[in-house]
């Protein structure tokens, strides 16, 4: 809900911060006043490491497979790149999985915003993306404990309460964390509850960095492990006394 000149003020300051890469997790898909959009675009262009999000609405309108929501011009042209930020929800509403690209690798594929951040920081594709042959592959996220990533207030940075040197050589993710802004999503963590979208993305970047996505067991191993207790119990009914079996 903030006017865009506040974002412009932040980016003007961050241009001298010498951060490693900046990912801005706020959609800018609607036009504002022309002069404000122009100022924001100018501030973004001063940051050669700043990436913006795009979002895919599935299904799309008028029978289309999807609709693309991307930043408006000239903001789109000013960014270093655009990456998708779509979340994947399981049938119970939890965010366990992610897709590090959207589209068709053999045709047009949009990498995830965190994949673009990784490429900028490391100068190469992430190992997980390099192994990818299909954007429909869903990767299981290994969530770190809540609060594992350093956070600072947007206002503290803009108002000069936090020195810009704090961002030197850092991977910086900017997003909304307030409860009322609707970017809170249920995740499978021990303490239950939800995480802000930007913290989910921090977990994704961490998984790309460490290449430690969770690999499910093959179906045949799942079947054996599921049936093993039943087989032991059946053997117990056959060989042991009732008290021992219980």
């Amino acid at each position: 809900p903030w006017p865009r000149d506040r974002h412009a003020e932040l980016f003007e300051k961050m241009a001298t911060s010498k951060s490693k890469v900046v990912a801005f997790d706020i959609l800018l898909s609607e036009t504002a006043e022309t002069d404000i959009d122009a100022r924001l675009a100018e501030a973004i262009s001063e940051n050669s490491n700043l990436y913006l999000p795009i979002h895919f609405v599935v299904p799309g309108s008028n029978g289309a497979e999807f609709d693309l929501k991307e930043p408006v011009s000239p903001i789109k042209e000013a960014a270093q790149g655009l990456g998708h930020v779509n979340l994947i929800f399981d049938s119970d509403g939890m965010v366990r999985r992610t897709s590090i690209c959207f589209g068709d690798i053999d045709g047009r594929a949009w990498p995830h915003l965190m994949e673009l951040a990784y490429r900028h920081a490391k100068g190469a594709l992430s190992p997980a993306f390099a192994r990818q042959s299909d954007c429909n592959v869903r990767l299981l996220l290994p969530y770190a404990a809540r609060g594992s990533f350093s956070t600072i207030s947007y206002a503290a940075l803009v108002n000069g309460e936090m020195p810009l040197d704090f961002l030197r050589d850092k991977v910086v993710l900017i997003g909304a964390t307030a409860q009322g802004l609707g970017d809170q999503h249920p995740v499978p963590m021990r303490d239950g509850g939800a995480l802000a979208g930007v913290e989910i993305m921090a977990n994704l970047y961490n998984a790309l960095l460490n290449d430690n996505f969770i690999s499910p067991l093959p179906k045949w191993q799942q079947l054996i492990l599921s049936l093993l207790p039943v087989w032991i119990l059946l053997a117990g009914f056959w060989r042991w006394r009732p008290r021992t079996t219980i």
Side-chain angles (χ1 to χ4, degrees):
W2 288 351
R4 289 184 184 167
D5 50 0
R6 290 199 176 175
H7 299 314
E9 186 178 354
L10 175 70
F11 293 145
E12 287 164 357
K13 288 179 177 291
M14 290 189 67
T16 60
S17 68
K18 297 185 180 178
S19 55
K20 189 172 292 184
V21 61
V22 181
F24 188 68
D25 184 29
I26 298 174
L27 291 173
L28 301 169
S29 56
E30 298 176 358
T31 56
E33 297 177 33
T34 304
D35 58 335
I36 293 178
D37 277 356
R39 180 189 173 192
L40 179 57
E42 176 64 27
I44 290 173
S45 68
E46 293 172 4
N47 292 265
S48 60
N49 60 350
L50 197 152
Y51 293 82
L52 296 180
I54 52 177
H55 181 70
F56 295 93
V57 181
V58 181
S61 56
N62 301 320
E65 185 179 354
F66 58 84
D67 288 337
L68 171 61
K69 297 183 75 172
E70 57 184 353
V72 297
S73 297
I75 294 172
K76 176 176 66 174
E77 288 79 13
Q80 184 71 16
L82 305 175
H84 90 82
V85 292
N86 282 46
L87 291 174
I88 297 173
F89 296 91
D90 283 353
S91 57
D92 60 356
M94 292 280 186
V95 180
R96 295 184 179 87
R97 295 170 173 80
T98 187
S99 174
I100 54 176
C101 62
F102 184 96
D104 182 358
I105 284 182
D106 295 328
R108 176 83 188 272
W110 290 267
H112 195 282
L113 186 63
M114 292 300 93
E115 171 66 22
L116 292 183
Y118 180 97
R119 293 179 189 183
H120 189 100
K122 297 296 183 179
L125 301 179
S126 71
F129 192 93
R131 291 192 298 268
Q132 203 86 314
S133 60
D134 185 354
C135 283
N136 291 319
V137 173
R138 304 291 186 253
L139 302 176
L140 276 168
L141 283 168
Y143 281 101
R146 192 183 301 275
S148 293
F149 307 103
S150 300
T151 61
I152 59 174
S153 159
Y154 191 115
L157 200 60
V158 172
N159 295 333
E161 299 164 13
M162 175 69 68
L164 287 173
D165 197 55
F166 178 79
L167 304 182
R168 182 184 296 270
D169 294 327
K170 298 286 200 310
V171 174
V172 182
L173 312 183
I174 302 171
T177 58
Q179 293 284 346
L181 292 179
D183 195 21
Q184 299 280 331
H185 309 282
V187 294
M189 299 184 73
R190 292 179 182 176
D191 58 357
L195 277 185
V198 69
E199 192 166 356
I200 293 175
M201 290 208 304
N203 279 278
L204 170 53
Y205 186 88
N206 197 44
L208 291 171
L209 194 62
N210 296 303
D211 195 23
N212 64 342
F213 289 96
I214 297 170
S215 298
L217 289 173
K219 291 291 184 183
W220 66 272
Q221 292 186 20
Q222 293 182 38
L223 185 63
I224 289 174
L225 290 173
S226 298
L227 291 176
L228 188 60
V230 179
W231 289 338
I232 294 173
L233 183 60
L234 290 174
F237 284 137
W238 180 41
R239 301 287 298 178
W240 303 327
R241 296 177 179 178
R243 182 188 300 270
T244 305
T245 303
I246 291 173

